[in-house]
Amino acid sequence: QALGATAVWVTPPVRNQWHDPMLGYWGYHGYWAQHFKQVDPHLGSLGDYRRLSDALHRRGMYLVQDIVVNHTGNHFEYGPRWSPKDPARDYVPNPRSRPAAAPTQSPFDLNDPRKPAHRRAAIYHWTPAIRDVTRRDEELDFQTSGLDDLNTENPVVRRALRDSHGWWIREAGVDAFRVDTAYHVPPAFFEDFIHSRDRRVPGIAEVARRTGRRDFLVFGE
């Protein structure tokens, strides 16, 4: 604040995939979500986050939270025999992923197309990593850096993402979102995410309004 800053912008505090043995990386940055409605233990607790939010607000400052709507962590990938006609073909799970082999939040835990119910749910685009960055369909629907690409056209996914991110506004008093990998998500998704009129799980603009935030800011990468 003494430097003239009016807000603090934090990394996604969501529970994160800590170790991806497929790629040989560790990460505590929040961009590899395991659960979108839990605080990662490396960052503390929800109570800690609330105290940060309260301290900022007492100073007349704002809390900006980085979020991800394009993908989860890397809990599966595809081998060279991948086929768009058969999502189970050459599907490769990541069983040694830590701390969990798959997302632990519904419906994002439905990530194994070898199981008929998971395949029908279509929570993910059953695709490999992007191969040609000049193709818009791959940019939107294939895996970015091997991260499991969410099917953001699916109403179930849209509802779950509105619910998950509205939770941070209500529970932690977040004032704005910066959206990671926004250009990997169809623009129509954001109309729903921000302005949905679903009575039970409204868009985040309505959630913010109900908490007294009439100018909630959303900006994308």
Side-chain angles (χ1 to χ4, degrees), residues 122-179:
I123 302 303
Y124 295 87
H125 291 129
W126 307 115
T127 48
I130 294 172
R131 300 168 297 186
D132 184 348
V133 296
T134 68
R135 290 187 51 169
R136 182 61 173 155
D137 61 331
E138 291 197 14
E139 188 175 60
L140 289 173
D141 296 343
F142 283 40
Q143 294 189 1
T144 304
S145 301
L147 299 166
D148 305 344
D149 199 76
L150 291 169
N151 179 9
T152 51
E153 296 92 333
N154 184 335
V156 174
V157 173
R158 290 185 171 191
R159 184 182 178 92
L161 289 171
R162 292 197 310 271
D163 172 68
S164 294
H165 294 93
W167 186 84
W168 294 100
I169 300 171
R170 293 191 305 270
E171 296 299 323
V174 173
D175 301 299
F177 286 148
R178 178 268 193 182
V179 186

Side-chain angles (χ1 to χ4, degrees), residues 14-18 30-38 40 72-73 75 97-106 108-109:
V14 302
R15 185 176 286 270
N16 199 62
Q17 179 187 35
W18 302 343
Y31 296 105
W32 302 345
Q34 173 195 317
H35 199 301
F36 287 105
K37 291 173 69 176
Q38 294 178 355
D40 193 90
T72 65
H75 295 102
S97 167
R98 294 176 58 189
T104 51
Q105 178 188 3
S106 177
F108 308 111
D109 55 347

Side-chain angles (χ1 to χ4, degrees), residues 169-196:
I169 300 171
R170 293 191 305 270
E171 296 299 323
V174 173
D175 301 299
F177 286 148
R178 178 268 193 182
V179 186
D180 177 76
T181 54
Y183 56 93
H184 288 286
V185 181
F189 167 82
F190 293 104
E191 180 67 25
D192 176 85
F193 182 66
I194 297 170
H195 300 295
S196 173

